[in-house]
Every structure is written in structure tokens, then in C-alpha cells.
């Protein structure tokens, strides 16, 4: 630099700090570019994750699939509540009742096998203005199986729920990779994750957790919750969702008090720019 400056800082003693900091910024930028190109992501706590999978952070999911949805930059007072693992006759009807009471619309990422077992609940979701999306057929952990099995799980889940609405896929437990993203894309499915999780906020109880989350959310957020507790088969799981149902009205009350509305993910995406 012939003028003795680097990014506006002087090269003399008084400008040495600026010179060092500017060089550090440049090096950091170069490292981040190299990391991104290598399929690595830097998480909020400074860890590096390989985007080849399996992923466990928003950063690594974005590195694996630049077109995925976790958050939307929008000027509208809207966000998306999403529910996974249903339909489940023990919890889904109560969730639907609460959403109707608060005039909220959501996206349900349904397990294909559960949807096939409870088509009446899927029909009710759609009749009440909600979006029904793909959560694979058996809640398969997609980063643990072959590409052929990934394709089968996504395609079978889609066949059960049909093509109504946006073709959105949420990989179970949020685990994806570049190869999973490529298979999903080839099937016309867009991966959708989340920016906040209701169940993660419930350690102090349903009222405190639901209200606190509702007071903290920003427009454009995508909230993960669960209306399904049971999955059978190879990826069997059993979780009680009573606390989720108990927290939901407190979350909805807090959102309503702030003038925020829940809309399906497809509508949220159209309201702004994905992040």
C-alpha cells in the first residue's frame, strides 16, 4: 500500500492498531471463504462443522444447502409455527383447536406412516388452512442411509401427503448433508429447518417457556414444535407432548399481544428473503 494505509488505517505508530485489525479482518474473511468452499461452517460458539453431514447447526445446514429455509428476512409482522412427527391423535387435535382459537396457521411436517394411519387429521389440517409438508415416510435419519434410501424415504412421504402446497421437506432431527440436499432438490423438495424450538424453552415450565419464547421471537422466525410423540419402525421413538400443548396457548397469547401472526412456511418465504 503506497500511501501507508490499509483499509483507511495509518501505517505509523498511531495507526498500527488499525493496520493489525484490518489485516485480521482480511485474514478472517479469507479463512471464512476457504472454510465455506471446503464445505465447513463456523457455528455461533466458534466450532467448525463439516457440511458433508450430519449437520447440527443453522450454519452447517446453510453450508450444505444454500437454498434451505431456517429464517426469513421480512418487514411483515409474521413468523411460522411448525409442528413435527404427527399426526398423532393424542396431541394433534388439541394443537389444531388452539391454532383455530387464536386464528393462527402453521406448517405440519408429517411422518408419512403416521399420515397414512390418520388421514382424517391430515384432511383437517388442510381444511383449517394449514400447510402439510414432508418429514419422510418413517422419520428416517437421512444422513445414516444411502442416497437410494434417502430418495425412497422422501418420495414415499410425498406420495402419502400429495402435492398440495409448497414441496417442503424437513429432515428428521435436522440432520442433512450435501448429498441429502442434492437428492431432495432432484425430487423438487426444498429443505426447511428452524430458528427457534418451543420444547427447548420449557425447562422452567410451560407457561414461562411459552410466554418467554413469544416475547423473544422476531418477525421471520421459524419455530419448531411437535404434535407427534410416537414413531414406529426402524427409527422408533416415543415422547410425551403434553407440555408442548400446555405451552402453546401462552406462546400464541404472547405473539398476539405483540401483533405477530403465524403463517405457513410457504407464505412466510414469499414475504421476504430466506436466510
Amino acid at each position: 500500500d503506497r500511501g501507508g494505509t490499509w483499509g483507511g488505517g495509518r501505517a505509523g505508530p498511531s495507526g498500527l492498531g488499525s493496520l493489525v485489525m484490518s489485516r485480521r479482518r482480511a485474514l478472517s474473511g479469507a479463512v471464512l471463504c476457504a472454510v465455506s468452499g471446503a464445505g465447513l461452517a463456523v457455528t455461533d460458539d466458534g466450532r467448525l462443522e463439516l457440511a458433508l453431514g450430519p449437520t447440527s447447526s443453522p450454519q452447517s445446514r446453510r453450508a450444505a444447502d444454500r437454498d434451505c429455509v431456517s429464517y426469513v428476512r421480512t418487514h411483515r409482522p409474521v413468523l411460522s409455527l411448525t409442528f413435527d412427527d404427527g399426526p398423532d391423535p393424542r396431541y394433534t387435535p388439541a394443537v389444531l383447536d388452539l391454532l383455530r382459537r387464536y386464528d393462527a396457521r402453521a406448517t405440519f411436517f408429517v411422518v408419512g406412516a403416521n399420515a397414512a394411519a390418520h388421514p382424517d387429521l391430515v384432511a383437517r389440517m388442510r381444511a383449517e388452512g394449514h400447510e402439510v409438508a414432508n418429514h419422510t415416510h418413517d422419520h428416517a435419519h437421512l444422513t445414516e442411509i444411502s442416497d437410494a434410501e434417502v430418495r425412497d424415504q422422501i418420495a414415499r412421504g410425498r406420495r402419502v401427503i400429495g402435492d398440495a402446497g409448497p414441496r417442503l421437506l424437513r429432515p428428521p432431527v435436522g440432520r442433512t448433508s450435501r448429498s441429502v440436499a442434492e437428492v431432495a432438490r432432484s425430487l423438487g423438495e426444498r429443505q426447511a429447518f428452524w430458528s427457534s424450538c418451543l420444547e427447548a424453552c420449557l425447562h422452567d415450565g410451560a407457561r414461562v417457556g411459552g410466554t418467554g419464547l413469544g416475547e423473544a421471537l422476531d418477525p421471520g422466525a421459524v419455530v419448531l414444535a411437535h404434535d407427534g410423540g410416537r414413531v414406529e419402525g426402524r427409527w422408533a421413538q416415543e415422547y410425551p407432548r403434553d407440555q408442548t400443548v400446555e405451552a402453546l396457548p401462552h406462546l400464541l397469547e404472547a405473539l398476539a399481544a405483540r401483533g405477530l401472526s403465524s403463517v405457513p412456511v410457504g407464505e412466510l418465504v414469499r414475504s421476504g428473503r430466506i436466510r
Side-chain angles (χ1 to χ4, degrees):
D1 186 349
R2 293 177 130 192
T5 62
W6 183 285
R10 292 181 56 82
S14 64
L16 183 58
S18 296
L19 173 60
V20 171
M21 289 303 295
S22 296
R23 283 178 174 163
R24 283 177 179 167
R25 290 191 192 101
L27 288 170
S28 296
V31 168
L32 288 175
C33 286
V35 159
S36 177
L40 290 167
V42 183
T43 65
D44 288 334
D45 60 4
R47 292 178 298 106
L48 288 179
E49 285 193 337
L50 188 63
L52 296 177
T55 60
S56 63
S57 71
Q59 296 88 348
S60 58
R61 291 168 191 143
R62 284 283 286 171
D65 182 2
R66 301 298 297 178
D67 195 43
C68 74
V69 181
S70 296
Y71 181 87
V72 175
R73 294 187 184 275
T74 180
H75 297 296
R76 292 181 56 200
V78 293
L79 47 73
S80 287
L81 300 181
T82 69
F83 296 89
D84 284 13
D85 297 355
D88 187 325
R90 298 170 299 172
Y91 308 111
T92 304
V95 169
L96 289 168
D97 289 345
L98 287 165
L99 293 173
R100 182 169 57 187
R101 181 189 307 174
Y102 288 91
D103 195 27
R105 292 178 296 129
T107 297
F108 287 84
F109 288 92
V110 302
V111 174
N114 288 350
H118 304 288
D120 55 322
L121 290 176
V122 176
R124 181 181 170 189
M125 291 171 186
R126 289 197 167 112
E128 296 182 4
H130 306 295
E131 199 169 67
V132 179
N134 195 351
H135 201 40
T136 75
H137 190 266
D138 294 314
H139 203 261
H141 297 182
L142 298 180
T143 56
E144 299 175 12
I145 57 179
S146 69
D147 286 356
E149 291 175 295
V150 170
R151 179 175 293 274
D152 180 66
Q153 281 288 328
I154 297 172
R156 289 173 66 198
R158 175 56 57 186
R159 279 198 296 273
V160 172
I161 63 177
D163 289 323
R167 294 176 66 93
L168 296 171
L169 167 72
R170 175 166 287 165
V173 298
R175 296 296 182 92
T176 192
S177 66
R178 286 188 170 176
S179 62
V180 170
E182 289 169 4
V183 173
R185 192 177 299 113
S186 73
L187 293 170
E189 303 268 337
R190 184 179 207 173
Q191 295 191 105
F193 298 99
W194 59 88
S195 54
S196 299
C197 175
L198 175 58
E199 285 86 6
C201 300
L202 302 183
H203 45 81
D204 290 325
R207 177 185 292 274
V208 171
T211 300
L213 180 60
E215 291 175 346
L217 290 170
D218 293 323
V222 178
V223 181
L224 167 66
H226 296 80
D227 70 309
R230 178 178 296 131
V231 174
E232 297 180 352
R234 177 177 172 185
W235 292 276
Q237 63 179 38
E238 179 73 51
Y239 294 108
R241 300 303 185 189
D242 306 87
Q243 201 173 28
T244 299
V245 175
E246 186 182 348
L248 187 55
H250 302 296
L251 169 59
L252 291 165
E253 287 277 4
L255 293 176
R258 297 177 59 214
L260 289 173
S261 301
S262 175
V263 299
V265 172
E267 184 173 330
L268 182 69
V269 168
R270 294 192 296 273
S271 78
R273 182 166 59 87
I274 67 165
R275 177 182 154 191

